[in-house]
Structure formats: structure tokens, C-alpha cells
Amino acid sequence: MTALIRHTNWYGFNALVLENEYLRTVIVPELGAKLVSLFDKRNQKEWLVGPGSRPVKKATYGAQFHEQDLSGWDEMFPTIIACPYPGPGEQHGAPLPDHGEVWSLPWDIEQAEEKLRLRVQGKALPYQLIRTLHYTAPALLEFQYQLTNLGEVSMPYIWAAHPQFVCSLGAEIIFPPHATEVCNTIPASWGWGEPETRFNWPLATGLDGQPVRIDRIGSSSQHKARKFFLMPQVRAAWAGVVHTPVRDWLCLEWDPELVPYLGLWADEGAVNHESVAAPEPTTGFYDSLAVACEKKEVTVLEPGVIQTWTLRVRLGTHEEPFPYNE
């Protein structure tokens, strides 16, 4: 699939545009290879949230993610929330930052001709992560990942996508039909009970005993948020976001043998300035690498081994049917 790559500027940072007839994607290598735009030309729709009034700045290593501009799509690796590294070897106990570390590190450009290939090396742990972006169909953006353990001992890790899709006009999150239960993974102060409190999906009973559609994204005026995971024994291969009422849609697709878990961050103005939804295919259950290792629900890479996986993002307009049964 023919695509063009050109240079541009995004809030003072050098950026790259990957573009074809249907889609335009903007990436900022210096900002953790963040995707700052995923634009569908057919309906003039921007899918990723912008920075709003927050200043755009380069994150220092170890920064708190919520103190940044909260725009776009970041990579989370090798953990989601801060924790001590639980793996073996000299790095055992090393502090892993909030959101992982690759989102706050600059990535190097290895290829920028039709495919955009970027690379980053670990700071807290010995690894190399490569991500290649290209269009494999007119409205399909593919992310190819290649992770190498450069150390001498096994390395447990969590990788998770963190795409903050704009849902200000309302949206519905679509999971596969066999996904019928989720659990909360954030503190009770967020209003969803203690971690691992379970809820039926998509129609749950809230802590107040009232029914609530947890698959719907509401107004940012609510100042609420939730982080759920599918139960670890449930394997999903896709997740969708359908805007309402227009029914434009987006679908993430992956191999559940390589990416076994699925989280969902839904922010209705609690942290971000707009309502956003982030379906998060991931390699661990749940946000803390230390907890995932304790639960034995985590991916482990042996020394010298290369692991690859793929994430596909398929975009559609209201004129096209959602690719899976809703």
C-alpha cells in the first residue's frame, strides 16, 4: 500500500507524517514516538485527543503521565503504573516509572520510506523495542513490534497500547460477545470499588445498586473515569470504538496468543479535558508489572530472544458496517 512520509512541525517538535489517500498519521519521535494525529480524510474526523490548553513539553524521565499534555497515543512499556522491577538479575527492585519508560524517551528513526520504523533502547532494563508503522490497506494502519531482550536473564514485561480516542460527542465501546465480565483495577476512591471488583459487561450494576452502561462514554462534565480489564482467562482479538450518533467507527485487532489481555481506560473529564476512551490490548494483567508477575499473568522474554507482535487499526465511516457483530 503506497504511502508518503514527510516532515512537519507539531507544537515546536519535529514530527513525521505518514499519509495515503484515506488516512493521515502524525508521529513525534522525540516524544516517545507518540502518535499525535490519526485523521480520516473521508469524513474529516480526528480520532486522537489533542493537548487542549495544556502546554506541550518534553517529559523528563520518571515524570508522572497525568502531569503532561495527555494528547495522542503513547506506548506503555515495561509497566503501566510505577512499581519496582520484579524480575531476576541485577535490575531486580529497580524503580519503573509511571506509564513505563518508553513514552518519555526519544526514539531513533531507522526507516522513513513508505514504512516508518522507530527504535528505542531501555534505560531501567536491557532491551530494544522497534515499532514499524505502515498502511496495509487503504484505511488500515498496522503497528509491527519487535522486542529484544539484551540482558542475560529472563525479562517479564507489560506492553500496552494507550490510544486516547476522542469521544466528546458520545461513543460506544464494543468488545467481542464472549466478553461478559470486567474487573476494576484502580483504587476504590475512583468510585468502582476495590481493585478486582467485578462488573457485568456491558450493562453493570453500580455500587449504588443502579444499572449503568459501562460501555458508553459520557460527557466530560461528569469528571469521572474507570479502568477495567477483561478477566484474564478471557481472550479477545479485537475491540472497537463507535461514535454516536453518526456511527463512524474504529477497530483494533491483534493476536490474543501474543497479546493475551485487554484493558479499557475511559475518562469522562476526570483527567483529560475531553472525554476519551482507550482500549488497551496488553501483555499483562493488570497495570502493575509487579502484580502481574505475582499473579503469573504476564509475558516473559528469555535472554537474547526476539518477540514480535502486530496491532492493526481499521477505520470506517458510517457508510460501512462495523467489521464484527455488535
Side-chain angles (χ1 to χ4, degrees):
M1 177 58 56
T2 302
L4 298 175
I5 295 179
R6 56 184 173 85
H7 291 266
T8 190
N9 185 280
W10 186 81
Y11 288 89
F13 290 90
N14 293 325
L16 294 165
V17 180
L18 177 66
E19 187 169 17
N20 68 8
E21 183 180 354
Y22 287 75
L23 305 179
R24 182 172 66 245
T25 307
V26 181
I27 303 96
V28 184
E30 189 177 353
L31 299 181
K34 177 201 293 280
L35 274 68
V36 296
S37 177
L38 179 57
F39 187 78
D40 192 328
K41 299 180 182 180
R42 296 167 297 175
N43 52 14
Q44 299 296 297
K45 182 178 289 294
E46 174 58 65
W47 278 94
L48 294 176
V49 69
S53 61
R54 290 196 177 209
V56 176
K57 58 186 178 181
K58 187 175 179 354
T60 58
Y61 184 86
Q64 296 293 307
F65 182 74
H66 69 270
E67 295 176 352
Q68 303 304 121
D69 64 85
L70 300 180
S71 65
W73 177 328
D74 294 275
E75 304 288 349
M76 298 189 289
F77 185 94
T79 185
I80 297 176
I81 64 173
C83 68
Y85 178 60
E90 296 179 357
Q91 287 79 28
H92 180 79
L96 299 180
D98 179 47
H99 225 63
E101 61 178 16
V102 299
W103 72 277
S104 64
L105 296 175
W107 291 45
D108 296 322
I109 301 170
E110 289 201 331
Q111 179 183 350
E113 295 178 2
E114 292 199 1
K115 295 182 179 183
L116 181 57
R117 180 181 169 100
L118 300 172
R119 174 179 59 85
V120 65
Q121 298 231 167
K123 187 170 182 178
L125 304 176
Y127 63 84
Q128 174 180 267
L129 180 62
I130 295 173
R131 188 190 70 193
T132 303
L133 292 178
H134 65 123
Y135 300 118
T136 55
L140 196 155
L141 177 64
E142 184 167 291
F143 296 62
Q144 296 176 340
Y145 295 89
Q146 179 179 301
L147 173 66
T148 306
N149 181 352
L150 301 176
E152 298 180 351
V153 295
S154 60
M155 183 182 72
Y157 70 90
I158 291 178
W159 163 84
H162 186 60
Q164 297 197 87
F165 297 127
V166 176
C167 300
S168 295
L169 298 179
E172 181 180 356
I173 309 303
I174 311 294
F175 285 170
H178 65 276
T180 60
E181 189 177 39
V182 296
C183 75
N184 172 51
T185 60
I186 54 178
S189 57
W190 289 85
W192 295 97
E194 295 296 332
E196 301 196 46
T197 299
R198 298 187 181 191
F199 298 92
N200 290 331
W201 176 274
L203 180 60
T205 300
L207 299 182
D208 59 0
Q210 298 300 308
V212 56
R213 290 295 300 264
I214 55 176
D215 62 332
R216 304 295 173 87
I217 308 299
S219 167
S220 60
S221 64
Q222 298 182 68
H223 303 295
K224 295 181 179 179
R226 56 192 181 273
K227 178 63 183 288
F228 295 144
F229 269 75
L230 291 188
M231 304 310 297
Q233 67 273 17
V234 177
R235 297 290 187 259
W238 59 269
V241 178
V242 180
H243 278 169
T244 55
V246 292
R247 309 303 289 178
D248 294 328
W249 54 266
L250 176 151
C251 190
L252 306 179
E253 303 166 339
W254 62 91
D255 183 346
E257 294 299 317
L258 299 174
V259 181
Y261 310 100
L262 175 61
L264 171 66
W265 167 249
D267 183 352
E268 297 163 329
V271 180
N272 218 314
H273 65 284
E274 292 190 64
S275 289
V276 300
E280 297 178 350
T282 179
T283 62
F285 175 86
Y286 39 77
D287 288 345
S288 164
L289 178 59
V291 172
C293 284
E294 182 180 338
K295 291 178 175 292
K296 296 182 171 54
E297 298 285 357
V298 71
T299 304
V300 178
L301 190 61
E302 297 303 319
V305 173
I306 298 174
Q307 175 70 63
T308 61
W309 66 95
T310 298
L311 176 64
R312 297 178 181 87
V313 185
R314 191 184 306 272
L315 285 82
T317 71
H318 64 277
E319 298 175 346
E320 306 165 88
F322 188 76
Y324 300 96
N325 291 330
E326 297 187 46

